[in-house]
Amino acid sequence: MHKNRTLRRSLIMFGVRFLILPLVIFSLFMQARIWQMIWESMQENMDQELQTASLVMDMTLDTYTTVLYDFCSDDELVELVEQINEDVSVSETDRNHLRRRLDHLGNQLDGIEGVTLLTAGQRLFFYDRGIASFTVSTWADQIKIPEIEGGFAYQNGGTIHPTDGGREKHLLQIARRIVDYRDINRVIGIVVLSIDQEVFWNVIPQMEDSRIYICDGEQVIAVLPQLSVKYLVLDTRI
């Protein structure tokens, strides 16, 4: 009898182990599968939001590059800057004419904070939209003028610190050479458009607890500053 009970107990334990082990393995497999499905769903949502953000970013950026392109390829501007390059001193007529052109470009779109123009003769002209000035600025006459091989150049333009208690403005700058298409290799001048980064943060869809980067290749040129970093939202081609 004792041997029968022992054998029966052994068979029961074996049966329990035989049944439980597959259940444990199946349970672990299902949990792993569920986590994989959740991760794939999150990744898919992130990819979709990245595509949307990139599209909106490109459309917004194209608005500013278009007005800068039109400005830098305008025949009247080309002739004016060429005249300034040739003159020993800049006439008041040419100076006022150029200022009117800078004023028009600087007020053409919301978000433009200023325009800076450096001629081939190293003469600097600027328009600070915030204070509507061509002669005084805390930043527009001190920006870095990038080297441009062709097309547009992009850079982080630093920060405008307001003197009236308003918010700080972080700048993204787009630069382009002034081009005479009769001789595209001739150096005439460079124009830099300074844009408030807030323009882009207002139109790019934002994911919770994320930080948005705008990159030119591997160089970060704009960062949404107020959110915590958890994952990259936007790494767009410019």
Side-chain angles (χ1 to χ4, degrees):
M1 290 291 294
H2 178 72
K3 289 183 178 180
N4 289 338
R5 285 198 299 268
T6 302
L7 180 59
R8 193 180 305 118
R9 190 180 300 114
S10 298
L11 289 173
I12 292 172
M13 292 299 295
F14 176 78
V16 169
R17 292 175 182 174
F18 182 79
L19 292 173
I20 289 178
L21 185 59
L23 288 174
V24 171
I25 294 174
F26 180 74
S27 177
L28 292 174
F29 172 79
M30 290 303 298
Q31 288 185 31
R33 180 58 181 161
I34 290 171
W35 281 110
Q36 182 182 4
M37 292 173 63
I38 292 174
W39 171 253
E40 290 176 352
S41 178
M42 290 175 57
Q43 190 66 41
E44 183 178 351
N45 290 337
M46 188 183 299
D47 289 343
Q48 289 177 353
E49 293 192 20
L50 277 169
Q51 292 176 5
T52 301
S54 182
L55 178 61
V56 173
M57 173 65 192
D58 287 342
M59 292 174 62
T60 305
L61 196 62
D62 283 347
T63 305
Y64 293 92
T65 55
T66 298
V67 297
L68 182 58
Y69 175 87
D70 291 343
F71 181 84
C72 291
S73 57
D74 180 79
D75 290 340
E76 186 177 343
L77 177 77
V78 170
E79 292 178 5
L80 175 60
V81 177
E82 284 181 330
Q83 182 64 43
I84 291 174
N85 283 330
E86 294 172 0
D87 291 343
V88 176
S89 60
V90 182
S91 69
E92 197 62 27
T93 299
D94 288 344
R95 189 184 302 275
N96 289 334
H97 190 182
L98 183 56
R99 285 175 175 176
R100 286 194 297 271
R101 300 300 301 268
L102 294 177
D103 175 85
H104 176 72
L105 175 60
N107 288 282
Q108 197 163 347
L109 294 172
D110 290 339
I112 296 178
E113 294 298 324
V115 186
T116 303
L117 189 155
L118 180 67
T119 71
Q122 298 301 301
R123 290 187 171 119
L124 187 71
F125 301 87
F126 65 87
Y127 171 63
D128 185 336
R129 181 177 180 177
I131 57 176
S133 176
F134 302 98
T135 57
V136 178
S137 178
T138 59
W139 63 273
D141 57 343
Q142 302 173 30
I143 69 172
K144 175 185 176 183
I145 305 296
E147 295 182 3
I148 305 175
E149 295 182 357
F152 298 95
Y154 304 85
Q155 65 185 17
N156 187 307
T159 304
I160 300 176
H161 301 281
T163 57
D164 58 356
R167 71 173 178 85
E168 291 185 341
K169 296 181 179 181
H170 304 275
L171 300 178
L172 184 151
Q173 293 174 334
I174 310 173
R176 183 173 176 83
R177 290 172 48 211
I178 298 172
V179 177
D180 183 354
Y181 284 99
R182 293 165 296 186
D183 184 1
I184 61 175
N185 295 318
R186 187 150 45 96
V187 178
I188 302 172
I190 294 175
V191 181
V192 181
L193 197 63
S194 296
I195 306 166
D196 184 0
Q197 292 181 17
E198 192 74 15
V199 169
F200 304 102
W201 312 145
N202 288 337
V203 297
I204 295 175
Q206 299 174 17
M207 290 184 282
E208 186 178 357
D209 294 329
S210 62
R211 173 168 286 187
I212 300 176
Y213 296 82
I214 301 175
C215 301
D216 180 16
E218 297 181 354
Q219 181 183 6
V220 177
I221 58 175
V223 181
L224 181 59
Q226 67 265 31
L227 299 179
S228 60
V229 180
K230 284 198 175 178
Y231 45 79
L232 183 67
V233 176
L234 178 63
D235 183 358
T236 187
R237 175 192 60 80
I238 290 184

